[in-house]
Amino acid sequence: MSQTIAFIGAGNMSAAIIGGLVQQGVDPKSIIASNRSTGKLEALASKYGIRVTPDNREAAQADVVVLSVKPQMMKAVCQDLKPVMPHKPLIVTVAAGIDVASYEAWLGKEKAIVRCMPNTPSLVGMGASGLFANANVSAAQRSSVDAIMSAVGITAWVEQESLINAVIAVSGSGPAYYFLMMESMIEAGMAQGLSRETAKALTFQTVAGAAKLAADADVEVDELRRRVMSPGGTTEQAVQSFESDNIREIFSRAMTRCASRAVEMAKEMGN
């Protein structure tokens, strides 16, 4: 990748993406990060050899500008950057809850803007990022964003911005659902006599193994579930208990509330 990439904000997500890019062979000198905390910048410079600056405006001279500040700060950051970006860089935002129309109002309707919804497993290179581009984004720019976000996991484009809310419900917030499930499995295992260490080890490996098996399988997950369920066996009893408690409706209701909150946040934080 010959383009220069700027990260406005040097938090955990920026650090994860920067690390992934450098690991993939991107020249560290083509990456610049800005942040109010010089400590974070010094750590990134020391670890990855990238360029750093406390000045957002200096960083924003790059070909690709990744906006990675807190949503509450985004409007002020964008309005400060607008006068110094006549070169029309590709803008990629990884902040939740702000729609493209707001970025266009703050930065200019002519800007090429990609809204990205990554998730926390990106911090360990296992992320899933949903992407939406406005009409100004070219095919080459889409490829650039794919290359950047693929450094920390998989990418999936949606052609309607409203579908980003579904992405948030599935993958953006999804890790928390599994953390809650793991909490519950660990507690149940301990209640049946396992030590906490044993219950944790078995739970974590089971979740990771099930995800790997599902990702690699040539059949759908419902078939994988059926293959584990011997008629009259132990798994069947557990699954029947989940089904009798209407687990599908529980997930549907929770994810609908998640997506609805994303819509509300966009209204609260928009222009």
Side-chain angles (χ1 to χ4, degrees), residues 93-259:
T93 168
V94 297
I98 303 176
D99 59 20
V100 165
S102 295
Y103 289 104
E104 290 175 343
W106 301 335
L107 294 168
K109 290 187 179 295
E110 77 286 355
K111 293 292 193 300
I113 299 170
V114 172
R115 187 176 169 192
C116 175
M117 186 65 238
N119 62 5
T120 54
S122 299
L123 303 180
V124 292
M126 292 290 290
S129 298
L131 303 166
F132 171 77
N134 74 353
N136 300 324
V137 177
S138 67
Q141 289 174 321
R142 283 188 180 229
S143 295
S144 293
V145 178
D146 268 329
I148 292 169
M149 297 311 301
S150 292
V152 290
I154 68 166
T155 62
W157 290 89
V158 296
E159 297 307 315
Q160 300 174 41
E161 186 175 10
S162 61
L163 292 177
I164 283 290
N165 299 322
V167 170
I168 292 171
V170 173
S171 58
S173 299
Y177 314 157
Y178 287 93
F179 296 148
L180 177 60
M181 182 177 69
M182 286 187 277
E183 284 181 64
S184 301
M185 290 175 67
I186 291 166
E187 290 167 0
M190 291 171 62
Q192 293 187 22
L194 296 176
S195 70
R196 182 169 184 82
E197 292 72 22
T198 297
K200 284 175 63 176
L202 293 175
T203 295
F204 296 164
Q205 183 68 8
T206 298
V207 172
K212 175 67 172 172
L213 188 61
D216 292 349
D218 57 1
V219 296
E220 297 294 330
V221 290
D222 59 337
E223 175 59 22
L224 292 176
R225 171 178 55 79
R226 282 191 288 270
R227 291 179 182 182
V228 183
M229 293 171 56
S230 301
T234 57
T235 307
E236 184 182 66
Q237 288 298 305
V239 171
Q240 286 178 351
S241 177
F242 283 131
E243 294 282 16
S244 67
D245 288 335
N246 212 348
I247 190 171
R248 297 170 195 271
E249 175 59 29
I250 290 171
F251 268 93
S252 177
R253 186 168 59 248
M255 292 171 67
T256 297
R257 288 182 60 178
C258 179

Side-chain angles (χ1 to χ4, degrees), residues 56-77:
N56 289 345
R57 290 187 166 202
E58 178 185 351
Q61 302 311 303
D63 300 310
V64 181
V65 176
V66 180
L67 300 174
S68 185
V69 300
K70 293 179 180 179
Q72 301 91 320
M73 300 168 55
M74 189 63 76
K75 181 177 182 178
V77 168

Side-chain angles (χ1 to χ4, degrees), residues 20-35:
L21 290 171
V22 172
Q23 188 174 23
Q24 287 188 354
V26 174
D27 182 359
K29 296 306 179 186
S30 70
I31 301 172
I32 184 169
S34 63
N35 199 76

